[in-house]
Amino acid sequence: MILEDGFEVLRPSSQKIGPSHLERLAVVYVRQSTAQQVLEHQESTRLQYGLLGRAQRMGWPKERVLVIDDDLGISGASSEGRRGFSRLVSEVSLNHVGMILGVEMSRLARSSKDWHQLLEICAIFATLISDLDGVYDPSQYNDRLLLGLKGTMSEAELHVIKQRMNQGKLNKAQRGELAFSVPTGYVRQASGEVIFDPDEEVQRVVRLIFRKFEELGTLHGVLAYLVEHGVKLGIRVRQGEAKGKLEWRRPNRMTLQNVLKHPIYAGAYTYGRRRVDPRKQKPGRPSTGRTVAPRQAWHVLIKDRLPAYISWEGYERNLGRLAENRARADAMGASREGPSLLQGLLVCGKCSARMTVRYGGSRNRHTYVCGRQSTDYGGEVCQYLSGPPLDEFISERVLEALKPAALELSLEAAKNLESEREELDRLWKMRLERAAYEVERAGRHYRLLEPENRLVGRQLAKDWEEKLATEQKLKEDYRRFSHEQPRPLSAAEREAIQHLSEDIPALWEATSTTDKDRKEIVRQVIERIIIDAEGKTERVRVRIEWAGGTTTESIMIRPVAKLKHLSYYPKLCERVRSLAAQGMSAATIAGCLNEEGYRPPKRREGFDRQSAQDLIHRLGLSRQRLRSEGQEDLGRHEYGGLGSWLASWACPKRRSTAGCVAAGCRHVSSRRCLTAGSCGPTMRSWEG
């Protein structure tokens, strides 16, 4: 209280506070970093709420002081998800705030970006900032410099705290002692030790997942198998009132993928495998944006530290198989339903790139193409070849390789089938045992209840009846399963397996064998196939790398479109000229070529009269007199088979006059058709 001109006036505690500030609101910002601090560090919370009295002592009425405490339990490292801070910035931007009060600057923001943004807005709208040390005006250079330094120290303090905590976690993780949540199949005891889930059914389901993936080779195949047989996954609840309780949930793709990729199932302790990528993190959701780091970037990897379901080598095989199943040009990919037998196995012998499959044509025929140079560098296609001939060629080699192992395969198939049925039978019995336990437990609760307490008794009786109905349904389903798939193989089933193994080619061609089944068989015995075509000729060098390390090389004959693409085309032409010079007919020449091993393009069985005639005229030998076998010389006015030709309406080739004979027109070879345009239904004139 002081006197000015005889009047008593209440002066503010700081000379920086003017009437323009008192006309607006005073905002008290309250924040604690975590919910635990709110519960345990209540003195700090009371100190922040006590700033309300300080604002009143500075000259603001109580009704003009606004308390913003929406950010209790939220970190100040970022403005994302802080509704109270966003509200504060909005109020300042609307010129509603004369002063912001906080215990210290770290309560407002621990990020330089957010802190300097707030200072800039406060400087524009002449808003003061106050802490326990004094009042600051962001529009003044000295105060702005001091506030900026405090904000930087606040951010550095947060960094030091994080660094200290992270280093402590890393040191503990390097000893393999840092606790983390464990996936299905494991539980963590109160002592911190990680052990197998004590529930036997949970363990069997996890082992079944790994065994079926090794057998089927695809994630989708394992998922379909579990769904088909009604197998569920045992999941321990991680939080809430039911924490630690075992729940049975239907399988899904993401859970199965996590099981196959998690190194804990191989007995390895890891830290730093999953990290947060800020680019993928969604605002307000701190648990998002997690990515899996490559193995060389993991902070800690300790093998044989925890109990294991599979070996480390098996874990690496699973990762490799999952990577190969991706639909990418450089990966083998999973077996699909298309007719291409060698999808993902072919490698170009020229550029070592993996060849792809293309479908097209009226018959949906497939072609194997190496287009890496064309796609990536704008060059030419390395090579391409028709799919069915190569599939047939490889199929013959695979069947030959499987012949010696026919009996062994039949015994192995019977053994695997019996083992699979026994495993499913054990799972069913465990489910029945669990259902019987639930029934007995519900009945025990009902019997222990006082008879007079009917309110609770009715609910317990209802629960008991539900457990009994569930058990009855499971028993019916188990009887149905046992009837459809008896555990031991019957004599008829064993005989059928043995009979099929003795005739593997028939089994291969059977309609019940799908293209996907054939692909899986080929992938079991072949690692990859290297293809190297000799230019545009029919010869293709095929190198097969079998599973186990052995290799075989052979030459495949593929179909080509034209005669000139045949590797022996020059020799073929010389031979035809030699035979034509001897006065042989077209049919005789065709027979000689077939006997000597020459074959026409498109993998036809051999030359016929028509194809030999075409080749003769292609070589310009059409004017030579080629006598047919047993043909007599005709007179001047005798035309031999002309009458039969006149009976035909038109030349089947419908070619032009100049190309009539070369196209195979059934005219006398020594004469020339003069019909204009094409061979018509009547002959106008002849010369010859």
Side-chain angles (χ1 to χ4, degrees):
M1 298 284 185
I2 60 174
L3 293 176
E4 289 187 3
D5 299 332
F7 294 95
E8 189 178 65
V9 180
L10 179 64
R11 298 286 286 176
S13 60
S14 175
Q15 297 296 329
K16 297 178 182 178
I17 303 175
S20 62
H21 301 109
L22 296 173
E23 292 174 356
R24 293 176 287 173
L25 296 174
V27 176
V28 175
Y29 182 78
V30 180
R31 185 187 66 81
Q32 290 281 73
S33 296
T34 63
Q36 182 181 4
Q37 290 182 0
V38 176
L39 295 175
E40 298 180 1
H41 303 168
Q42 298 184 5
E43 191 61 36
S44 176
T45 306
R46 294 191 190 97
L47 179 61
Q48 295 183 65
Y49 279 112
L51 295 176
L52 175 63
R54 186 180 183 190
Q56 295 178 18
R57 290 192 298 271
M58 288 182 177
W60 275 271
K62 184 177 181 179
E63 61 274 9
R64 297 291 294 170
V65 180
L66 175 64
V67 178
I68 298 179
D69 55 2
D70 299 338
D71 294 339
L72 282 173
I74 301 178
S75 172
S78 173
S79 60
E80 294 181 358
R82 294 171 60 193
R83 294 181 299 174
F85 186 78
S86 300
R87 180 184 174 189
L88 173 64
V89 174
S90 299
E91 292 291 340
V92 174
S93 302
L94 294 174
N95 199 21
H96 293 169
V97 181
M99 176 179 287
I100 301 174
L101 293 93
V103 172
E104 54 188 14
M105 298 302 103
S106 62
R107 297 301 174 185
L108 287 169
R110 285 190 179 271
S111 169
S112 293
K113 180 179 77 69
D114 301 331
W115 176 241
H116 286 281
Q117 180 185 13
L118 177 62
L119 292 183
E120 189 68 29
I121 297 175
C122 291
I124 294 174
F125 292 96
T127 301
L128 303 177
I129 297 178
S130 174
D131 62 5
L132 296 181
D133 296 328
V135 178
Y136 309 94
D137 186 354
S139 61
Q140 295 182 8
Y141 174 75
N142 290 334
D143 289 357
R144 179 73 171 268
L145 182 62
L146 183 57
L147 289 173
L149 180 59
K150 285 192 172 185
T152 301
M153 293 177 62
S154 176
E155 185 178 32
E157 180 186 12
L158 179 63
H159 172 73
V160 171
I161 294 174
K162 285 184 176 181
Q163 187 179 31
R164 188 185 304 128
M165 294 178 63
N166 289 335
Q167 190 61 41
K169 291 174 62 177
L170 181 59
N171 291 340
K172 195 171 184 179
Q174 289 175 346
R175 301 193 304 270
E177 300 175 359
L178 181 64
F180 53 84
S181 58
V182 293
T184 178
Y186 292 94
V187 294
R188 183 180 294 278
Q189 294 182 324
S191 61
E193 182 184 3
V194 177
I195 61 173
F196 286 132
D197 195 301
D199 193 288
E200 186 179 353
E201 186 179 358
V202 175
Q203 297 183 34
R204 285 196 175 275
V205 171
V206 173
R207 290 190 171 92
L208 178 64
I209 292 173
F210 287 107
R211 186 165 56 253
K212 295 309 295 184
F213 181 77
E214 184 177 0
E215 175 186 339
L216 301 176
T218 62
L219 189 64
H220 180 76
V222 177
L223 178 61
Y225 177 86
L226 297 180
V227 172
E228 179 184 358
H229 293 90
V231 180
K232 295 185 178 181
L233 305 181
I235 306 297
R236 296 283 178 179
V237 181
R238 295 186 178 181
Q239 55 187 359
E241 297 180 355
K243 183 178 181 179
K245 182 180 178 182
L246 182 62
E247 294 184 355
W248 291 94
R249 303 174 184 176
R250 62 178 184 176
N252 60 80
R253 179 179 296 274
M254 184 56 64
T255 301
L256 295 180
Q257 180 173 293
N258 292 336
V259 169
L260 294 172
K261 289 186 174 182
H262 206 303
I264 190 176
Y265 292 98
Y269 178 93
T270 60
Y271 177 71
R273 188 176 67 94
R274 300 188 67 189
R275 305 177 187 177
V276 176
D277 187 349
R279 299 170 298 178
K280 299 181 179 181
Q281 195 170 24
K282 297 181 180 180
R285 299 178 60 184
S287 61
T288 59
R290 294 189 178 273
T291 58
V292 179
R295 186 180 305 174
Q296 59 271 18
W298 295 356
H299 297 315
V300 178
L301 172 59
I302 307 176
K303 297 180 181 179
D304 302 326
R305 177 78 180 193
L306 305 173
Y309 282 93
I310 59 175
S311 64
W312 182 259
E313 292 74 16
Y315 166 73
E316 291 185 328
R317 283 198 305 270
N318 292 342
L319 291 185
R321 189 62 182 270
L322 288 171
E324 287 292 335
N325 288 346
R326 294 180 298 178
R328 298 178 58 181
D330 57 346
M332 181 184 297
S335 300
R336 308 189 188 279
E337 301 295 340
S340 59
L341 181 66
L342 309 177
Q343 165 231 329
L345 291 176
L346 295 183
V347 176
C348 178
K350 302 182 185 301
C351 68
S352 301
R354 196 176 297 275
M355 301 180 70
T356 58
V357 185
R358 292 182 183 176
Y359 292 94
S362 57
R363 299 182 181 179
N364 197 27
R365 300 177 70 87
H366 60 282
T367 305
Y368 296 112
V369 182
C370 176
R372 177 65 62 84
Q373 297 294 327
S374 175
T375 303
D376 295 348
Y377 303 103
E380 297 182 355
V381 174
C382 286
Q383 56 182 336
Y384 62 92
L385 64 157
S386 179
L390 183 59
D391 291 348
E392 181 182 353
F393 180 84
I394 298 298
S395 298
E396 294 175 355
R397 272 59 184 176
V398 171
L399 295 178
E400 290 177 2
L402 293 178
K403 276 184 181 179
L407 180 60
E408 183 180 351
L409 289 174
S410 65
L411 297 176
E412 187 68 19
K415 179 181 177 181
N416 290 341
L417 190 56
E418 285 188 344
S419 176
E420 179 179 339
R421 291 183 178 182
E422 289 178 358
E423 182 66 26
L424 291 175
D425 186 75
R426 283 194 292 266
L427 288 176
W428 271 105
K429 288 182 177 179
M430 289 180 181
R431 294 173 65 184
L432 290 172
E433 184 179 351
R434 188 183 305 278
Y437 164 74
E438 294 292 340
V439 169
E440 178 61 27
R441 185 166 179 264
R444 191 185 315 118
H445 288 176
Y446 179 78
R447 288 189 293 269
L448 292 176
L449 181 69
E450 296 179 355
E452 296 80 8
N453 193 354
R454 302 308 303 164
L455 294 176
V456 178
R458 283 191 292 269
Q459 181 61 41
L460 293 180
K462 182 179 178 181
D463 295 341
W464 192 7
E465 291 176 357
E466 291 178 354
K467 301 296 184 183
L468 287 170
T470 301
E471 183 188 26
Q472 181 64 25
K473 184 178 182 302
L474 278 176
K475 289 181 178 179
E476 294 174 355
D477 293 340
Y478 175 66
R479 286 194 292 267
R480 190 178 301 110
F481 166 78
S482 301
H483 177 73
E484 294 175 354
Q485 294 184 343
R487 185 173 61 181
L489 294 179
S490 63
E493 290 175 329
R494 289 183 176 276
E495 183 179 355
I497 292 175
Q498 186 174 1
H499 176 71
L500 289 174
S501 65
E502 293 174 354
D503 192 3
I504 292 181
L507 178 62
W508 181 270
E509 298 295 339
T511 55
S512 58
T513 305
T514 63
D515 293 327
K516 187 175 181 180
D517 295 334
R518 297 186 184 94
K519 293 178 185 179
E520 289 294 340
I521 295 174
V522 172
R523 293 185 177 202
Q524 292 294 324
V525 297
I526 295 179
E527 293 288 344
R528 66 173 186 167
I529 304 170
I530 302 175
I531 302 298
D532 189 3
E534 297 181 0
K536 295 184 178 180
T537 67
E538 80 286 359
R539 292 171 56 85
V540 179
R541 289 192 293 270
V542 180
R543 176 187 172 93
I544 303 176
E545 297 182 359
W546 301 90
T550 60
T551 60
T552 57
E553 297 185 10
S554 55
I555 298 295
M556 187 201 79
I557 303 301
R558 65 171 176 174
V560 292
K562 300 178 181 180
L563 273 168
K564 65 179 182 179
H565 290 163
L566 294 172
S567 60
Y568 48 82
Y569 179 68
K571 296 181 180 180
L572 176 64
C573 293
E574 290 298 327
R575 185 55 179 159
V576 171
R577 289 190 181 97
S578 174
L579 296 175
Q582 300 176 20
M584 293 185 181
S585 64
T588 305
I589 292 175
C592 293
L593 294 177
N594 293 333
E595 291 178 0
E596 295 174 8
Y598 293 101
R599 292 293 181 267
K602 299 183 180 178
R603 296 211 317 173
R604 294 173 182 161
E605 294 183 359
F607 287 92
D608 55 10
R609 178 185 178 280
Q610 186 62 51
S611 58
Q613 187 79 1
D614 292 344
L615 182 56
I616 290 169
H617 289 290
R618 178 190 296 271
L619 298 177
L621 307 175
S622 58
R623 294 187 177 275
Q624 298 185 19
R625 183 76 175 184
L626 300 177
R627 299 175 58 88
S628 301
E629 295 180 359
Q631 179 180 347
E632 299 179 358
D633 292 338
L634 300 178
R636 179 183 178 89
H637 301 291
E638 295 178 355
Y639 298 99
L642 180 60
S644 61
W645 182 85
L646 291 173
S648 63
W649 284 91
C651 171
K653 299 295 183 179
R654 304 289 298 176
R655 299 287 181 88
S656 63
T657 305
C660 179
V661 177
C665 185
R666 298 171 182 170
H667 303 155
V668 179
S669 60
S670 61
R671 296 178 175 85
R672 182 169 176 234
C673 176
L674 298 181
T675 306
S678 62
C679 297
T682 60
M683 184 176 66
R684 297 181 180 178
S685 63
W686 287 89
E687 69 176 8

